[in-house]
Amino acid sequence: MMSTMAGPTVDFWQQRFDSGQTPWDRGATHPQLLAWLQSGQLQAGQHVLVPGCGRGHELVTLARHGIAVTGLDYTPAAVDAARQQLLASGQRGEVELADVLAWQADVALDLVYEQTCLCALHPDHWQRYAEQLFNWLKPGGRLLALFMQARRETAAEGVVEGPPYHCDINAMRALFPAARWDWPAPPYAAIPHAQGWQELAVALTRR
Ligand SMILES: C[S@@+](CC[C@H](N)C(=O)[O-])C[C@H]1O[C@@H](n2cnc3c(N)ncnc32)[C@H](O)[C@@H]1O
């Protein structure tokens, strides 16, 4: 289904999981998620959607904090791993096999946690994904985002490389425009990744 579309396919991701080549995976919960839990941005009783949840480390941690979780991923190996991890931890959570570009929420959501899903999508799909995020959230809902900073030298020549695709701040402002999203003032926390990249942590509010 996705093979005619730009960027990675389900097969690409499935092979990465099958062969254990998942360098994006910290093998643990993202430190910024822990910071957002500590600061009270994420609290017991809330419901959080995690698109492109991968192996689901964050789902387990959120569930441990009394937060209802729904993970989405279109790669069977990721969904299996996330479900298994939840089961092994004794935590409850939904993990759906679904394409984030097509999935529809039954009810409007309060919170979406975006970690390495946007940067996994070719920029051709970014408008669609941003539209999805806007439509999933209720007015006043929050998008807790980690914008991957992975600019390559070849960007100077206009080459689009990824995944991860570089989530340039100017592109993010265009994708999540101020007319639709409230932006906190920069500077934003920059969290380093073992691969040499870093992620900008930005909590957006849907208008
Ligand atoms: C770079 S990995 C990140 C996984 C996880 N968020 C983490 O940080 O460990 C990207 C994930 O997004 C999933 N993904 C990519 N495109 C998707 C799409 N269109 N719909 C649903 N999942 C997608 C992949 O299967 C993969 O699990």
Side-chain angles (χ1 to χ4, degrees):
M1 181 179 72
M2 299 284 289
S3 58
T4 56
M5 299 171 79
T9 60
V10 174
D11 287 349
F12 168 88
W13 294 109
Q14 179 73 32
Q15 278 168 25
R16 302 299 291 268
F17 283 105
D18 285 348
S19 61
Q21 289 176 282
T22 55
W24 62 81
D25 191 326
R26 287 182 156 79
T29 301
H30 197 292
Q32 185 58 39
L33 184 96
L34 301 176
W36 276 325
L37 281 164
Q38 211 162 27
S39 71
Q41 301 243 37
L42 291 165
Q43 293 178 14
Q46 293 173 328
H47 181 189
V48 177
L49 177 74
V50 183
C53 63
R55 293 195 179 95
H57 310 300
E58 287 71 26
L59 297 177
V60 172
T61 298
L62 287 165
R64 280 204 174 110
H65 283 79
I67 295 170
V69 287
T70 303
L72 300 181
D73 208 294
Y74 74 172
T75 303
V79 170
D80 288 349
R83 284 180 180 159
Q84 267 173 34
Q85 217 190 155
L86 277 164
L87 201 65
S89 68
Q91 300 299 323
R92 292 165 61 98
E94 292 292 316
V95 186
E96 293 190 37
L97 182 71
D99 186 336
V100 298
L101 302 178
W103 185 81
Q104 299 295 326
D106 291 338
V107 290
L109 303 168
D110 291 316
L111 278 157
V112 176
Y113 176 69
E114 156 54 52
Q115 174 191 312
T116 52
C117 186
L118 178 63
C119 72
L121 300 170
H122 188 282
D124 277 2
H125 306 305
W126 283 4
Q127 294 273 12
R128 171 72 188 151
Y129 183 52
E131 194 66 22
Q132 288 281 82
L133 292 167
F134 185 82
N135 289 332
W136 292 339
L137 284 165
K138 58 175 68 159
R142 314 208 83 197
L143 172 62
L144 302 180
L146 291 157
F147 293 136
M148 178 64 77
Q149 304 301 295
R151 191 178 187 280
R152 279 86 166 183
E153 291 296 317
T154 52
E157 295 157 4
V159 178
V160 175
E161 265 190 84
Y165 296 97
H166 175 51
C167 297
D168 173 79
I169 192 63
N170 293 343
M172 297 303 100
R173 292 298 301 227
L175 205 56
F176 303 102
R180 291 185 136 197
W181 301 88
D182 282 329
W183 281 76
Y188 308 122
I191 298 93
H193 192 284
Q195 295 301 300
W197 306 309
Q198 55 181 20
E199 291 161 284
L200 288 183
V202 189
L204 297 178
T205 305
R206 182 220 197 267
R207 285 178 179 268

